[in-house]
């Protein structure tokens, strides 16, 4: 291992430094979201009406960049992918959470990250979505002890795309890149047809 990443996992820096880095990355992420217009609920709502597919393009760009970066850093020996944390998969509760998340996204026009950006720039809709998220998190936290069977249903462990499809990591990266390129092309065609 040349570079020994992830740095925190290999003890290159402690919790204090990792917290500072996380805050700086969060600020940079928020700044880039705002610069891309992602703090505007009207722009994000365009996704659901197929008039502005910027969110799709932004998310595919982020996914492809992270996948290619991780793949090549691992191939060069600078990143140990086995030490990168992958959250566990629980199919039923995560589908339920996705449906609730999606409904909130459609109703509010903002997701968690973009609502924070909107709130930080003084938009009241961002504050309203954050209040809704906090209420939802509180409600889920109160329900958790009462519904352990739901929250623990259908565990699949730390499932990744290569594991799920029984293919190599490189093949999974290739498939996602091809899907992203097709998605970009389809998004451009849809936006052109809606003008």
């Amino acid at each position: 291992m040349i570079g020994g990443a992830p740095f925190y996992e290999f003890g290159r820096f402690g919790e204090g430094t990792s917290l500072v880095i996380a805050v700086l990355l969060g600020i940079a992420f928020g700044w880039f979201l705002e610069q891309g217009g992602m703090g505007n609920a009207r722009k994000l709502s365009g996704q659901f009406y197929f008039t502005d597919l910027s969110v799709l393009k932004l998310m595919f760009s982020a996914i492809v960049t992270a996948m290619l970066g991780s793949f090549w850093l691992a191939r060069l020996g600078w990143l140990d992918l086995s030490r990168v944390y992958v959250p566990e998969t629980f199919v039923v509760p995560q589908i339920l959470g996705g449906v609730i998340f999606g409904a909130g996204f459609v109703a509010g026009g903002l997701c968690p990250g973009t609502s924070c950006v909107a709130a930080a720039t003084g938009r009241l809709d961002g504050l309203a979505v954050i209040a809704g998220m906090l209420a939802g998190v509180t409600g889920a936290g109160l329900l958790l002890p009462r519904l352990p069977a739901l929250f623990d249903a259908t565990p699949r462990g730390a499932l990744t795309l290569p594991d799920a499809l029984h293919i190599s990591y490189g093949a999974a990266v290739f498939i996602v890149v091809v899907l992203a390129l097709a998605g970009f092309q389809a998004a451009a065609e849809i936006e052109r047809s809606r003008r």
Side-chain angles (χ1 to χ4, degrees):
M1 186 88 6
I2 298 168
F7 299 127
Y8 179 77
E9 284 289 313
F10 286 108
R12 302 281 194 274
F13 50 74
E15 289 185 18
T17 303
S18 66
L19 183 59
V20 169
I21 291 170
V23 168
L24 293 175
L25 287 174
I27 291 169
F29 179 67
W31 185 83
F32 281 109
L33 282 177
E34 177 59 24
Q35 292 304 303
M38 296 298 141
N40 184 332
R42 288 191 177 133
K43 184 172 186 66
L44 271 72
S45 293
Q47 185 76 25
F48 305 111
Y49 299 102
F50 299 104
T51 57
D52 186 343
L53 298 174
S54 298
V55 175
L56 175 92
K57 292 184 257 184
L58 176 79
M59 291 307 296
F60 258 134
S61 297
I63 290 167
V64 167
T65 301
M67 281 191 84
L68 287 172
S70 298
F71 176 76
W72 286 109
L73 288 172
R75 294 284 289 194
L76 293 170
W78 296 349
L79 173 66
D80 182 353
L81 281 175
S82 70
R83 302 289 296 262
V84 174
Y85 174 72
V86 177
E88 290 187 51
T89 299
F90 295 89
V91 178
V92 169
Q94 288 171 343
I95 287 174
L96 179 61
V99 169
I100 293 169
F101 175 91
F105 196 161
V106 171
L110 297 164
C111 70
T114 57
S115 65
C116 292
V117 170
T121 56
R123 294 186 183 104
L124 294 179
D125 55 352
L127 288 171
V129 172
I130 289 174
M133 285 190 307
L134 292 174
V137 167
T138 302
L142 293 171
L143 282 175
L144 182 61
R146 294 184 169 95
L147 300 171
L150 171 63
F151 285 95
D152 294 333
T154 58
R156 295 292 182 264
L159 190 62
T160 63
L161 190 58
D163 294 336
L165 299 178
H166 305 291
I167 58 176
S168 70
Y169 186 66
V173 170
F174 178 77
I175 289 168
V176 171
V177 168
V178 168
L179 287 173
L181 293 173
F184 290 139
Q185 183 64 36
E189 293 294 329
I190 290 167
E191 286 175 334
R192 228 184 332 271
S193 71
R194 301 288 287 191
R195 288 188 187 137

